[in-house]
Amino acid sequence: MKAVIMAGGQGTRLRPLTSNQPKPMIPIAGVPCMEHIVALLKRHGIEEIVVTLQFMPDEIRDYFGDGSDWGVSMSYSVEDAPAGTAGSVKLAEEQLEGERILVISGDALTDCDLGAVLDFHEERGAEATMVLKSVENPLEFGVVITESDGRITRFLEKPTWGQVFSDTVNTGIYLLEPSVLREIPAEGEYDFSKELFPMLLEAGRPLYGYVTEDYWEDVGTLEQYMKAQRDVLDGKMRGARPPGTRLRENVYVGARAQVDDENLEGPVVIGENVRVDEGARVSPYCVIGDNVIVAAGATVERSVIAEGTYVGEGAEVLDALVGRHSYIQERARILERSALGDDVIVGEGATIAPEVKVFPHKTVESGANITQSLIYETMGLRTVFKGGIVQGKFNVDLTPEFVVRLASSFGTELDPGEVVTLGRDSSRSAQVAKRHMSGALMATGVHVRDLRAAHAGVVRHDVLAGKSSAGAHMRVGEDPDEVEILFFSSDATPMSEADQRSVEKVFVREEYRRAHGPDVGELIYPGRAVEQYVERLERAQERKTTEGGTIVVDFSGGVAGLVASRVFSRLGIGAVVVEGFTNANAYTTGTRRTSLTEALERVGRIVPTVGAAFGAVVGPTGEDVQFVDDEGEFVPPDVMLACLLSRLRPRKVVLPIDLSHGYDELVQEAGGTVERSRAGLGNVALKAADVGAEVAGLADGRLLFPSFLPAPDCFITLVRALGAFGGGTEGEALSSVRGRFGERFGSVRRRRLECPWAAKGRVMRGLAERFGGDPDAILTDGVKLNLEDSGSSWVLMLPDPDNPLFYVYAESDGDGREAESVLDEYAKLVEGLIGEG
């Protein structure tokens, strides 16, 4: 058997440590990560090794040579162009000579018992065996579910929390028979997890998963890198002995080191030719590379300092990473979870704040206080998307600098010369955000269509009309101190999770495309964007269905009110606008917002007086609509959804997985069908656009009519409602229709449970193991069980994607008490799984 070490990764998430060296060469306890893997193979008698290379290949070849220094024979295969994980192994096929092969990553740390893997593989007659491991956070890996004998039945690459049906993940260690290698195409990119293994699974080939209890750590982030260092120092990985002389237990000191070893407290590794001056302090969990000097009075705690670095008198390095040949001058402070690249100079008395990255060859002036990362310019680092939206307190979380960085990441993912449509609400904070986004996009070579003050529906229409290939809208959130930024794809749907991840990768790497001269983007102020939106609305709803109808509307001061008069006049609607919008640039942050309850009461008093078909309060975003009926009574949004479905009689509807089954029955009675999507508005919108639904939405006032726009929009909601309950039709009044449904639709009950991040994967695995054998269980988003054949009694256990929470939903054929009983039963089950840790 031969081994293939995959060592082509760039390690972008580990920058600045990997800016000047490939990821497999980053040192773990003084030894390159890949050297630990070579030693593991040697211990298991695997001495013929092929290494696949791509990024900075000479660094690895020059270090390992032919492998003789490690008692193995090493050869190399270099990718000229990206070939994918499986494709890179295929390129080395001639060197493998048709033998069984073990594939292992050169940039992960493990002491896996490879002999046990081989025994497992042979006992089951497997063609391919994946080594699996249970981890706390499976989102960055491929999750796998197996039968009791280890046969793989399902896996999913890099899922969301709602799709995590196991916390058992793919480690990237594979044992493959020659027949598997023959299935890989000779040209093009081809991946083990995305293409090869799904093909084997679908074909019914013997694909098995071996779950290891041995140590394994994916050294993919700076945090994981520091954890791996500590794990090796604590002896958690067998066979990983740091270099140097072992003075006592876990204190290792290299040759010619000048250090008072009596003052060293382990675990600690001191490299060769290191000098630690009198009065300096090196604490446990430090790894000091060769030729490092720690001057008098300096403090180094829980840190990794690479070779050739100088730490000046009185300087502090606290829980940080410092690259090669850096110079930390007197009294400088490098604080927690910060990282310096190679050849960085930190001036006297300067401070590098926690979680700041400084890329190679940067100079920090004396006395400077660096609070954000130094890459091309000064920037910070934080999680970007939450629920598909970027949001934060203006000038606290969401600063102008952050918006520039976000927009630069967004623009980098678009092709040069593409066009993006931008709009905003009336707030000054949204104005600031949009202007910074415009400039940053143009700096990446992207053109900007600036619609200025326009609600999100106008921006979406501009994108959908082919004027641009993407869009973004900036607005105030529910908290007036917050700003939200929505991103739209070329079909005006919310940005997909895959595209969000792509933007986040650029955001984390902080490497943006820069345009110069004539390639800089152009700023365009289009003239008829609002008129074209109104024309589209007019085509979407026949005038005869609305003409003569009267409604009462409060726009909550939002910019949707700018469009109202044109919409209502074009469709012949007699609208009483209670609170419109007069000046797009006269927003005052101190203005008191009328509460929703007050607005509904005010609209409700006017509706019977003017004989309106209904009244509505539109949210400030122009997306959600709350209704009062023709008698002035509030219609709860879940009941309003039922009223619209019963009157519109749509053929195809998309609803999220957590809404009442009663909606399905309502639609089916009229000859239609309901398809369920994952929870969340973005998922509903994407599903509705994909399947061509006529109606979609949530039971909170946000409704979608995808033939108009693949997102909630107040005007299409208002005109469709008027077509159903007033205007030119002779249908039932809204008060009469809602009377059939009462004050609540369905009997869905919900329970919110606190669930630590580290427990989520374990809970999902426990649920999948318990219910995975049920052919009726739905694992699309969380775990949903139908408790009766009719589907009207069910329970859904769903992790929150953005918070340390788990939700349990239940509905029963009976009244709410039966649903509460079901909810209690399954909430206790989930609580038990949460507490098992």
Side-chain angles (χ1 to χ4, degrees):
M1 181 170 65
K2 292 185 177 182
V4 175
I5 298 179
M6 303 186 67
Q10 296 186 28
T12 52
R13 292 180 299 163
L14 279 168
R15 292 182 181 175
L17 296 186
T18 52
S19 295
N20 294 333
Q21 62 182 333
K23 184 178 174 185
M25 293 302 294
I26 59 171
I28 306 289
V31 174
C33 184
M34 183 173 146
E35 187 170 339
H36 290 291
I37 299 301
V38 172
L40 174 71
L41 296 173
K42 171 66 176 175
R43 289 200 303 273
H44 286 86
I46 304 174
E47 299 180 356
E48 291 188 63
I49 302 171
V50 177
V51 184
T52 64
L53 305 172
Q54 184 185 23
F55 179 67
M56 301 182 72
D58 291 339
E59 292 278 332
I60 295 174
R61 277 192 297 215
D62 291 347
Y63 184 87
F64 287 100
D66 62 2
S68 57
D69 290 348
W70 290 266
V72 298
S73 173
M74 297 176 70
S75 59
Y76 302 91
S77 173
V78 180
E79 296 176 52
D80 294 324
T85 54
S88 65
V89 176
K90 183 71 171 183
L91 290 174
E93 188 171 21
E94 290 185 7
Q95 296 164 269
L96 300 172
E97 300 175 339
E99 294 189 33
R100 173 188 290 162
I101 59 170
L102 177 84
V103 178
I104 190 167
S105 296
D107 52 18
L109 204 60
T110 184
D111 61 4
C112 180
D113 185 345
L114 302 179
V117 177
L118 178 60
D119 292 342
F120 175 93
H121 179 84
E122 291 182 337
E123 287 170 3
R124 285 155 179 77
E127 273 193 284
T129 295
M130 306 168 63
V131 176
L132 311 176
K133 176 75 176 177
S134 293
V135 298
E136 289 184 351
N137 184 355
L139 292 190
E140 290 301 316
F141 309 100
V143 296
V144 181
I145 203 163
T146 63
E147 296 178 348
S148 58
D149 65 348
R151 188 159 189 140
I152 292 172
T153 57
R154 190 177 179 204
F155 56 85
L156 181 66
E157 187 70 11
K158 295 186 178 178
T160 64
W161 271 117
Q163 297 170 309
V164 174
F165 44 78
S166 172
D167 64 352
T168 307
V169 304
N170 175 9
T171 65
I173 304 173
Y174 314 127
L175 194 57
L176 307 176
E177 293 298 320
S179 58
V180 173
L181 201 58
R182 289 194 290 270
E183 299 291 346
I184 303 171
E187 296 181 357
E189 288 192 53
Y190 200 75
D191 194 85
F192 281 118
S193 298
K194 295 177 183 176
E195 281 118 353
L196 180 62
F197 293 146
M199 182 274 292
L200 295 176
L201 186 63
E202 186 176 352
R205 304 270 283 273
L207 175 64
Y208 284 81
Y210 172 85
V211 181
T212 181
E213 298 298 326
D214 299 326
Y215 181 84
W216 177 81
E217 180 69 46
D218 175 51
V219 188
T221 65
L222 294 172
E223 182 181 3
Q224 291 169 334
Y225 176 68
M226 291 294 276
K227 179 179 183 297
Q229 298 276 5
R230 293 192 292 270
D231 288 346
V232 171
L233 294 179
D234 280 336
K236 292 183 179 179
M237 194 180 89
R238 295 168 297 178
R241 183 193 184 282
T245 301
R246 183 177 179 179
L247 299 183
R248 55 186 179 276
E249 293 197 11
N250 47 11
V251 175
Y252 298 85
V253 178
R256 299 175 299 282
Q258 300 175 47
V259 57
D260 185 355
D261 54 68
E262 294 299 323
N263 292 330
L264 290 178
E265 181 183 350
V268 66
V269 177
I270 305 293
E272 295 183 0
N273 300 310
V274 168
R275 193 183 87 203
V276 179
D277 291 346
E278 186 176 353
R281 188 170 72 87
V282 177
S283 79
Y285 294 101
C286 283
V287 178
I288 309 298
D290 297 344
N291 305 305
V292 169
I293 296 175
V294 183
T299 299
V300 182
E301 294 183 359
R302 296 175 65 88
S303 296
V304 178
I305 299 181
E307 62 182 83
T309 287
Y310 180 91
V311 181
E313 294 182 6
E316 296 178 75
V317 183
L318 310 177
D319 194 19
L321 299 168
V322 180
R324 299 171 292 187
H325 308 293
S326 291
Y327 180 19
I328 301 170
Q329 296 182 4
E330 291 79 1
R331 297 182 304 285
R333 304 177 70 222
I334 317 298
L335 301 183
E336 294 84 354
R337 299 176 302 283
S338 56
L340 275 58
D342 298 343
D343 300 303
V344 170
I345 299 174
V346 181
E348 182 178 345
T351 298
I352 307 297
E355 300 189 9
V356 164
K357 294 192 292 187
V358 181
F359 270 44
H361 316 298
K362 300 292 181 187
T363 297
V364 176
E365 293 184 357
S366 297
N369 183 19
I370 305 303
T371 59
Q372 294 178 312
S373 297
L374 284 176
I375 314 299
Y376 297 110
E377 54 274 327
T378 303
M379 292 171 248
L381 176 63
R382 51 156 289 174
T383 302
V384 184
F385 290 93
K386 185 176 182 180
I389 298 174
V390 179
Q391 62 187 61
K393 287 192 178 296
F394 181 69
N395 264 341
V396 178
D397 303 309
L398 204 147
T399 62
E401 296 88 351
F402 174 82
V403 174
V404 167
R405 184 176 167 196
L406 173 65
S408 298
S409 304
F410 179 39
T412 299
E413 282 299 292
L414 300 171
D415 291 336
E418 289 198 58
V419 181
V420 172
T421 299
L422 299 183
R424 61 167 175 85
D425 71 6
S426 59
S427 65
R428 292 176 183 170
S429 52
Q431 265 187 295
V432 172
K434 184 178 66 62
R435 290 184 178 182
H436 283 80
M437 178 164 282
S438 296
L441 286 171
M442 291 161 64
T444 65
V446 171
H447 305 304
V448 171
R449 283 173 61 86
D450 186 352
L451 303 189
R452 290 172 280 199
H455 81 289
V458 175
V459 179
R460 286 190 176 99
H461 166 263
D462 200 68
V463 176
L464 193 61
K467 307 294 185 180
S468 59
S469 55
H473 188 262
M474 280 128 280
R475 67 193 190 193
V476 166
E478 291 186 12
D479 180 342
D481 291 330
E482 287 194 343
V483 170
E484 298 179 344
I485 304 178
L486 288 70
F487 289 91
F488 315 130
S489 299
S490 59
D491 58 357
T493 57
M495 181 184 284
S496 69
E497 289 173 350
D499 288 340
Q500 290 173 31
R501 287 173 178 165
S502 296
V503 171
E504 285 178 335
K505 285 179 182 178
V506 180
F507 188 91
V508 170
R509 292 199 303 262
E510 305 181 69
E511 295 181 346
Y512 316 121
R513 183 178 65 235
R514 303 293 184 183
H516 302 279
D519 295 328
V520 173
E522 179 184 359
L523 182 59
I524 305 163
Y525 291 102
R528 296 191 67 254
V530 171
E531 286 76 6
Q532 289 167 350
Y533 164 84
V534 176
E535 289 167 5
R536 181 181 184 85
L537 185 64
E538 190 176 19
R539 291 194 297 271
Q541 185 77 22
E542 293 184 31
R543 181 184 174 104
K544 66 180 181 180
T545 65
T546 59
E547 191 166 25
T550 302
I551 60 176
V552 179
V553 188
D554 184 336
F555 285 99
S556 305
V559 290
L562 287 171
V563 188
S565 61
R566 277 174 276 190
V567 169
F568 296 146
S569 63
R570 290 283 280 273
L571 292 173
I573 299 171
V576 177
V577 177
V578 177
E579 183 179 338
F581 197 91
T582 57
N583 186 343
N585 298 302
Y587 181 90
T588 304
T589 54
T591 301
R592 176 179 175 271
R593 285 187 177 182
T594 303
S595 73
L596 176 61
T597 301
E598 291 172 330
L600 287 168
E601 289 175 352
R602 182 170 60 183
V603 169
R605 289 192 298 269
I606 298 172
V607 167
T609 304
V610 299
F614 55 79
V617 176
V618 175
T621 65
E623 293 183 342
D624 62 299
V625 184
Q626 305 294 326
F627 286 86
V628 297
D629 64 21
D630 50 291
E631 296 178 355
E633 296 297 321
F634 172 59
V635 184
D638 59 330
V639 175
M640 189 66 197
L641 175 59
C643 292
L644 280 168
L645 292 176
S646 68
R647 288 289 296 134
L648 296 176
R649 303 173 68 86
R651 293 186 299 275
K652 184 174 289 187
V653 176
V654 168
L655 299 173
I657 196 170
D658 54 356
L659 290 194
S660 170
H661 183 75
Y663 293 114
D664 299 61
E665 296 174 350
L666 193 63
V667 173
Q668 289 163 6
E669 286 172 5
T673 60
V674 174
E675 294 198 32
R676 294 288 180 157
S677 78
R678 292 166 50 204
L681 179 63
N683 293 319
V684 172
L686 289 168
K687 178 84 169 183
D690 182 54
V691 303
E694 293 176 47
V695 181
L698 284 65
D700 63 358
R702 291 179 290 178
L703 300 171
L704 292 82
F705 299 90
S707 62
F708 175 65
L709 284 179
D713 183 81
C714 62
F715 290 108
I716 188 66
T717 300
L718 291 171
V719 299
R720 287 286 162 87
L722 186 57
F725 304 109
T729 64
E730 296 182 359
E732 285 186 85
L734 178 54
S735 58
S736 174
V737 177
R738 66 83 53 90
R740 297 201 294 268
F741 301 115
E743 292 301 314
R744 183 171 187 169
F745 188 82
S747 59
V748 176
R749 298 293 187 269
R750 189 186 81 165
R751 188 78 48 82
R752 189 178 88 159
L753 306 175
E754 301 287 335
C755 179
W757 285 107
K760 281 188 178 181
R762 185 178 69 248
V763 173
M764 288 298 291
R765 180 186 61 180
L767 294 174
E769 289 175 350
R770 183 179 293 256
F771 302 113
D774 182 351
D776 295 325
I778 301 171
L779 303 179
T780 304
D781 202 16
V783 176
K784 185 174 185 180
L785 307 173
N786 289 318
L787 305 180
E788 293 182 4
D789 291 339
S790 66
S792 55
S793 294
W794 53 270
V795 63
L796 170 66
M797 293 156 281
L798 181 68
D800 188 300
D802 301 310
N803 299 289
L805 300 170
F806 223 95
Y807 292 100
V808 181
Y809 299 82
E811 185 174 33
S812 174
D813 270 335
D815 58 20
R817 285 177 301 208
E818 289 187 31
E820 286 288 349
S821 176
V822 173
L823 191 65
D824 287 340
E825 176 185 352
Y826 286 91
K828 287 178 182 177
L829 169 63
V830 174
E831 286 174 332
L833 293 171
I834 293 171
E836 283 183 359

